[in-house]
Amino acid sequence: MSSTVQTAPRLSREEAVRIAAELYGIEVSAAPLPSERDQNFLLRDSQGEQFVLKIANPQESLEFLEMQNCMIRFLSGAPVEMSFPRIIISKSQKDIPAFESSGGQPHYVRLLSWIDGVCLASVQPHNRKLLRSLGRALAQMDAALAGFEHPAAHRSFYWDIRRASVAREYLPLLPDSKRNLVERFLAGWVAIDWSRLRSSIIHNDANDYNVLVSPINAPDQSPDWRVTAILDYGDVVHTATVCELAVALAYVMLDKPDPINAAAQVVSAYHEVYPLTEDEVDSLYALLTARLCCSVCYAAYQAREIPANDYLMISNEPAWALLEKLSAMPQEWPRKMFRFACGMPPSKDVFTRARPTRERLLDSRRELAGPSLSISYQSPLHIVCGSRQYLYDADGRRYLDCVNNVAHVGHSHPRVVRAAAEQMELLNTNTRYLNELMVEYARRLTAALPEPLRVVYLVCSGSEANELALRLARTHTGREEVIVEDAAYHGNTTVLIEISPYKFEGPGGRGRASYVHKVPIPDVYRGVYRDSDAGLCYARHVADAARVSRGLAAFFCESAISCGGQIILPPGYLREAYASVREVGGVCVADEVQTGFGRAGQYFWAFESQGVVPDIVTLGKPIGNGHPLGAVVTTPEIAKSFANGMEYFNTFGGNPVSCAVGLAVLDVIRDEELQENARDVGQYFMDALRKLGEKHRLIGDVRGLGLFIGVELVRDRQTLEPAGTEASAIIERMKSRGVLLSTDGPFHNVLKIKPPIVFSKADADLVVSELDAVFAEGI
Ligand code: PMP
C-alpha cells in the first residue's frame, strides 16, 4: 500500500488544462478531485460540458487501466439501471494516451464523461427506499459482472478484503484499546472459509463518496433518492463476490443510529435481485468488519506518512465509532438480522433435526386434539420455521406466505424475538406491579391513535379484546343490543360467537340471538348497492337497525372486512353508520384485529380511511407479530363507566414480555418504514392483479387497501356466479408452486391476500406470474 499512495501523481491545474488541450483538443478549466492513489481533475469546457481527467499512478499497469475501460464498456451494455461514464478517445485515437509532466515523468491519462448526481454521503437521511436502491444497484452490477473476465483483475491488492491480513502490519500504530478491538474483529475474518464463497470480478469500492444518487420524485416533494451511478474503477479486483456488498455496507453503516438495520435493508434488496448463498450471508459481517479494520489501520499508517491527505482520513472517526458500537452488540446479532433480511431460516441445522413424519404427526393430532380444529390443504403442511415472508416445511421447502397477517413485520423478526427473550430472562409478571414497559407501550399505542382514544387495556388475543369491548360498551350504555355486519367474525368466545354471523349462521351455529341485529356487508361488487352512493345506502341499514333496537349497546364493524370476503368499505359508510348509532346512544367499535398497524398502507388504522374516530378500537393478530397479545383502546369517559367497582384482571394481559414485544413491533414498523412499504407494494400488487384480470375472466374483482387485498373469482362476470371450487383448486395448485394463499367470503370464492408487510414487489410479481400459470393451465 505504502508506495502507491506515496507515488500518487501531483500535477498542477495548468498541466491538467494542457493535457486536455494537447491530448484531447479541448479548451477547459480544471479543478482537483479527491483520490487515494491517482490524481483526478474535474474539467469544464466553454459549453459547460464536464469531464473527469484521470492521471494514473505510475505504478498502475497499462493492462489494469485497460481492464477498467473494458469493465466500464461491459457494464454500459449490461442490464444495470445505472449510468456509466463514456470513455473519451484522444486526438491520437487512444483510450489511454500518455503524457509527460513538467518534471519529465510519463503518466497514463484517461478522460471520462462526467456523471451528474449527488454522492450518497451528502444525502440524509438514508431512508429505506434509498438503502434498497443501493442494494439493487450493487446486485445488478454484480449479476452482470459474473459474466466479465479480465486477467488484470486477478491481482493481489490491499483493499481486497481477502488480503485484510495486510492491515495487521499496521496494528502496532494503534493504541492498545483500539488494537484489541481490531484484533477481535479480524479473528472473525480469519475464520472465513473462502472456498465456500463465489468469486468474480467486483467493483470493490462502493463507498458513500463513490455512490451517486439522484432524486426520483417531483421537485416540490421532499426528494426520494435512487442510486444512479457508482464511480471509480481503480479498486476492481477478482475476489469473493460478496465482498462487493461488504464494502458498501461498511460505509452505509457509518453514523447510523441502528447500523445493522440499515445494512439489513441493503442486504435484503441485494438478495432479491441477485440471491446470496447462506455461506455468503453468514460471512458478511466478518467481511464488512474486516473492511472497517483495513480502513482504520491504513488510515493510521497514512496519517503518519502523508498527514496532508484529508481524503484518506475521511471516514476514519466514524469507522472507529462504528467498530466500538458493533463490539457492544451480541455477537450473533448481525448474522441473525442478515439471515432474516434474506428470508433465510434462523439457523442451518433446523432441517436436520429428528422429527416425526408428517403422517405420524397428523395421526397424533387426530388422536389428541379436538376434531373441530381444522387444518389447511388436502395434504397438510408441516411447517418448522419461518423467516420474513417465508415459511419452511420439514424438508426445507420454502413457501411464500401471502396470508399470515399475524407475522406482520415478518416471521420470527429477530428484533421482536430478541425483545421477548431479553425481557423473559429478566422478568415476567402481571399488572399488579409497576412496570415501565406497560406504561410506555400504552403511551406508544395511544400516540398512534386519534383523540379521545387515550385509555388502554392489554389482553391476550383478538377475542379477548372484542369480548372486553362488548363489556365496556354494555357497562357504559347500560344496554345489551349489538349491530353487526353480515358474515362478520369477531372471535371465539361464547358471546362473540353470538355476535358473529360467520359462526352462528354457519355449520353448528345456533342462529341469531335476539339481541343481535345484522346488517348487509357494504359490498359494492356483489351487494345490493353498487353505485357511488353505496356507502350511504348501506349505512341506512345500520340506521334502521339502530332505530328498531330496544337498547343499543354497540355497533361492531371491522374497518375492512376480512372473513366477509376482503371487503373495502365504500366512502361515507362508517361516518353515516356511526352517526346513527351515536344518535341512539350506542357505542361504535372498530375491530382492527385484521387491519391495524400499517397494513392499510396509506393509513396506520383502516378506520382512518373512513374519516371516523371510533369509541372503542380492538387490536390483535399483528400487534405482537405472533406473540399472544391484544388490546382495547377507548375513551376516558367509557373507561370511567367501566370502573364500577368490579376489578378487571387479566393474568397475562399487559405482562412485561408482551409489552416488550408490542414495543418492538411498533419500532420495527417505524424503523423499516413498513407502512409505506404496504402502501407501495399493495398498490403495485393490485395493479398487477387487475392486469391479470384482463387476461383471465375468472377474476371478477380486485380490491384492497395497502396489503389487505381480495381477488374475487366468478364464473360469469354478468351473473357474478361465485367460483368457489375453482378458488379452492387454485389455492392447492399455488401451494404446490410454493405460494400460500387462502380463500374467504360467504362463497369461499375470494382469494385473500394479507401477507407480512415486509412483502416486496418481487414477491408480488412471483404471485402474479404463478397465478397466471395456474389460470393458464385451466381449472
Ligand atoms: N376479530 C377479527 C376481525 C378476526 O378476524 C379475528 C380472528 N380471525 C378475531 C377478532 C379474533 O381474534 P383471535 O383469534 O386472536 O381471538
Side-chain angles (χ1 to χ4, degrees):
M1 172 196 50
S2 49
S3 62
T4 42
V5 175
Q6 276 155 350
T7 58
R10 297 196 180 94
L11 273 59
S12 65
R13 279 175 202 241
E14 292 69 33
E15 282 174 303
V17 170
R18 197 150 61 78
I19 292 173
E22 286 180 12
L23 299 186
Y24 293 94
I26 50 174
E27 294 288 315
V28 294
S29 59
L33 291 169
S35 174
E36 185 197 39
R37 299 178 306 278
D38 302 327
Q39 194 180 18
N40 297 333
F41 286 95
L42 166 60
L43 307 185
R44 180 177 285 139
D45 72 11
S46 54
Q47 274 95 56
E49 193 174 346
Q50 302 192 114
F51 307 88
V52 180
L53 178 68
K54 297 184 78 71
I55 298 150
N57 189 301
Q59 294 192 42
E60 214 75 276
S61 70
L62 180 61
E63 195 196 14
F64 184 72
L65 298 175
E66 281 167 353
M67 188 275 297
Q68 292 186 46
N69 282 359
C70 281
M71 183 160 152
I72 290 169
R73 289 197 172 110
F74 176 86
L75 286 171
S76 307
V80 181
E81 292 158 8
M82 284 196 286
S83 305
F84 296 94
R86 226 166 4 95
I87 297 154
I88 317 278
I89 297 172
S90 71
K91 285 199 297 190
S92 58
Q93 302 298 308
K94 283 192 173 149
D95 279 350
I96 311 173
F99 173 80
E100 198 164 299
S101 68
S102 47
Q105 172 117 49
H107 293 284
Y108 287 121
V109 166
R110 289 181 299 145
L111 189 65
L112 305 177
S113 63
W114 175 261
I115 299 178
D116 268 334
V118 182
C119 70
L120 180 64
S122 57
V123 168
Q124 290 298 337
H126 292 172
N127 65 12
R128 181 179 195 266
K129 265 199 187 125
L130 177 52
L131 293 169
R132 291 189 67 83
S133 165
L134 175 62
R136 261 195 316 278
L138 292 170
Q140 287 175 357
M141 186 167 75
D142 287 348
L145 288 176
F148 179 71
E149 200 29 86
H150 197 289
H154 295 255
R155 60 179 182 143
S156 178
F157 179 48
Y158 62 94
W159 280 116
D160 175 0
I161 305 178
R162 218 168 24 173
R163 311 272 172 231
S165 54
V166 174
R168 286 232 171 85
E169 291 170 29
Y170 306 106
L171 284 175
L173 300 176
L174 304 177
D176 284 353
S177 64
K178 291 192 163 171
R179 193 167 59 239
N180 290 341
L181 191 64
V182 169
E183 277 174 342
R184 236 178 309 140
F185 282 115
L186 286 179
W189 172 85
V190 169
I192 293 170
D193 180 354
W194 293 86
S195 70
R196 300 183 72 90
L197 308 180
R198 292 173 299 174
S199 299
S200 61
I201 295 176
I202 61 167
H203 175 281
N204 196 39
D205 197 17
N207 74 56
D208 48 351
Y209 284 87
N210 278 345
V211 172
L212 290 191
V213 299
S214 302
I216 45 176
N217 46 2
D220 55 326
Q221 298 169 0
S222 75
D224 267 332
W225 300 88
R226 183 176 84 79
V227 170
T228 46
I230 297 177
L231 307 176
D232 190 356
Y233 296 77
D235 284 9
V236 169
V237 68
H238 184 274
T239 187
T241 312
V242 66
C243 291
E244 188 87 280
L245 188 53
V247 172
L249 295 182
Y251 294 93
V252 153
M253 290 164 70
L254 298 175
D255 297 318
K256 293 285 190 300
D258 184 347
I260 297 296
N261 187 40
Q265 302 305 321
V266 184
V267 174
S268 157
Y270 184 103
H271 180 71
E272 220 169 87
V273 174
Y274 190 45
L276 296 155
T277 66
E278 284 193 62
D279 287 312
E280 287 171 339
V281 173
D282 288 347
S283 58
L284 196 47
Y285 184 60
L287 291 167
L288 74 88
T289 49
R291 170 68 180 217
L292 285 167
C293 291
C294 290
S295 263
V296 293
C297 286
Y298 298 159
Y301 169 76
Q302 288 161 351
R304 196 185 67 181
E305 298 295 305
I306 321 167
N309 191 337
D310 290 344
Y311 181 68
L312 302 176
M313 298 300 294
I314 215 153
S315 54
N316 198 34
E317 278 311 311
W320 277 119
L322 178 56
L323 284 170
E324 296 280 359
K325 194 168 192 169
L326 295 177
S327 73
M329 274 177 196
Q331 243 189 336
E332 282 295 282
W333 179 244
R335 194 184 59 81
K336 286 184 181 169
M337 284 288 283
F338 294 161
R339 277 187 156 257
F340 175 80
C342 300
M344 286 174 182
S347 74
K348 270 185 181 161
D349 66 358
V350 66
F351 306 115
T352 55
R353 287 180 211 164
R355 296 179 199 280
T357 63
R358 216 169 47 103
E359 291 66 30
R360 277 276 298 279
L361 255 185
L362 197 56
D363 286 347
S364 307
R365 175 174 154 130
R366 284 201 183 112
E367 185 189 326
L368 296 165
S372 48
L373 281 187
S374 71
I375 192 157
S376 298
Y377 301 113
Q378 285 161 6
S379 166
L381 288 171
H382 178 193
I383 298 295
V384 296
C385 70
S387 178
R388 205 173 176 89
Q389 73 275 50
Y390 299 114
L391 288 172
Y392 290 85
D393 73 9
D395 300 324
R397 173 148 194 219
R398 194 180 79 172
Y399 293 89
L400 178 63
D401 183 357
C402 303
V403 269
N404 202 317
N405 60 344
V406 173
H408 192 57
V409 299
H411 288 279
S412 305
H413 194 300
R415 285 180 70 183
V416 180
V417 174
R418 183 173 163 191
E422 285 182 352
Q423 185 55 41
M424 193 79 182
E425 201 166 43
L426 200 64
L427 173 76
N428 204 14
T429 52
N430 57 50
T431 44
R432 290 209 168 104
Y433 301 102
L434 287 175
N435 190 288
E436 58 272 30
L437 287 172
M438 185 210 157
V439 177
E440 193 191 338
Y441 185 45
R443 203 189 315 281
R444 289 276 296 278
L445 266 186
T446 51
L449 282 154
E451 292 276 4
L453 295 165
R454 286 292 169 265
V455 184
V456 178
Y457 300 84
L458 294 172
V459 296
C460 308
S461 68
S463 296
E464 276 196 6
N466 280 328
E467 177 81 29
L468 177 58
L470 184 56
R471 283 183 62 195
L472 287 168
R474 283 181 168 169
T475 312
H476 180 66
T477 58
R479 317 225 200 101
E480 287 292 301
E481 298 190 5
V482 179
I483 302 174
V484 292
E485 300 289 322
D486 203 355
Y489 177 68
H490 294 293
N492 58 30
T493 67
T494 306
V495 73
L496 294 178
I497 296 295
E498 284 177 5
I499 68 162
S500 297
Y502 182 77
K503 289 288 179 193
F504 70 66
E505 287 184 338
R510 291 171 161 200
R512 185 170 61 85
S514 58
Y515 70 84
V516 175
H517 304 265
K518 213 176 63 164
V519 291
I521 288 190
D523 177 350
V524 295
Y525 179 65
R526 72 165 57 248
V528 278
Y529 311 112
R530 304 178 188 176
D531 298 334
S532 57
D533 63 347
L536 309 186
C537 297
Y538 281 114
R540 252 179 248 134
H541 290 263
V542 179
D544 291 346
R547 211 171 313 110
V548 299
S549 73
R550 278 149 306 156
L552 183 65
F555 167 52
F556 273 70
C557 185
E558 285 180 85
S559 309
I561 297 173
S562 48
C563 290
Q566 302 289 100
I567 304 289
I568 307 306
L569 306 181
Y573 178 66
L574 283 187
R575 200 185 57 240
E576 292 301 312
Y578 277 16
S580 34
V581 167
R582 285 170 175 155
E583 209 171 281
V584 300
V587 160
C588 299
V589 181
D591 182 335
E592 287 271 347
V593 168
Q594 294 263 5
T595 51
F597 295 94
R599 173 167 302 279
Q602 203 180 333
Y603 311 98
F604 198 76
W605 310 108
F607 67 73
E608 292 169 302
S609 66
Q610 289 277 304
V612 293
V613 177
D615 304 304
I616 302 177
V617 177
T618 59
L619 308 173
K621 294 187 191 279
I623 189 173
N625 210 52
H627 177 86
L629 176 58
V632 179
V633 188
T634 190
T635 65
E637 197 192 341
I638 292 175
K640 196 164 160 223
S641 306
F642 193 59
N644 60 0
M646 183 190 287
E647 182 200 20
Y648 178 75
F649 181 65
N650 188 322
T651 302
F652 300 116
N655 71 75
V657 171
S658 297
C659 293
V661 165
L663 281 164
V665 171
L666 290 176
D667 287 346
V668 172
I669 296 170
R670 177 197 61 208
D671 295 348
E672 299 187 14
E673 298 171 38
L674 294 181
Q675 185 186 340
E676 293 74 9
N677 188 60
R679 180 194 62 202
D680 296 349
V681 176
Q683 194 53 54
Y684 177 87
F685 204 169
M686 279 188 274
D687 289 346
L689 288 165
R690 288 192 180 115
K691 201 134 196 284
L692 193 67
E694 292 168 14
K695 202 166 152 192
H696 302 289
R697 297 197 56 76
L698 206 59
I699 297 180
D701 189 33
V702 174
R703 52 191 176 242
L705 206 52
L707 277 170
F708 181 89
I709 298 171
V711 181
E712 178 147 1
L713 304 184
V714 292
R715 292 189 186 132
D716 184 318
R717 286 185 176 178
Q718 244 64 53
T719 65
L720 307 188
E721 185 189 351
T725 44
E726 292 86 340
S728 309
I730 287 166
I731 297 305
E732 291 289 340
R733 295 226 210 132
M734 289 295 278
K735 173 212 163 196
S736 67
R737 289 169 172 270
V739 178
L740 304 183
L741 283 168
S742 167
T743 59
D744 234 326
F747 309 104
H748 308 287
N749 67 325
V750 180
L751 303 181
K752 83 174 155 195
I753 299 176
K754 38 180 191 154
I757 62 169
V758 288
F759 212 71
S760 68
K761 288 181 180 174
D763 297 327
D765 286 339
L766 179 84
V767 177
V768 171
S769 79
E770 293 295 349
L771 271 176
D772 190 20
V774 166
F775 281 122
E777 281 169 2
I779 294 133

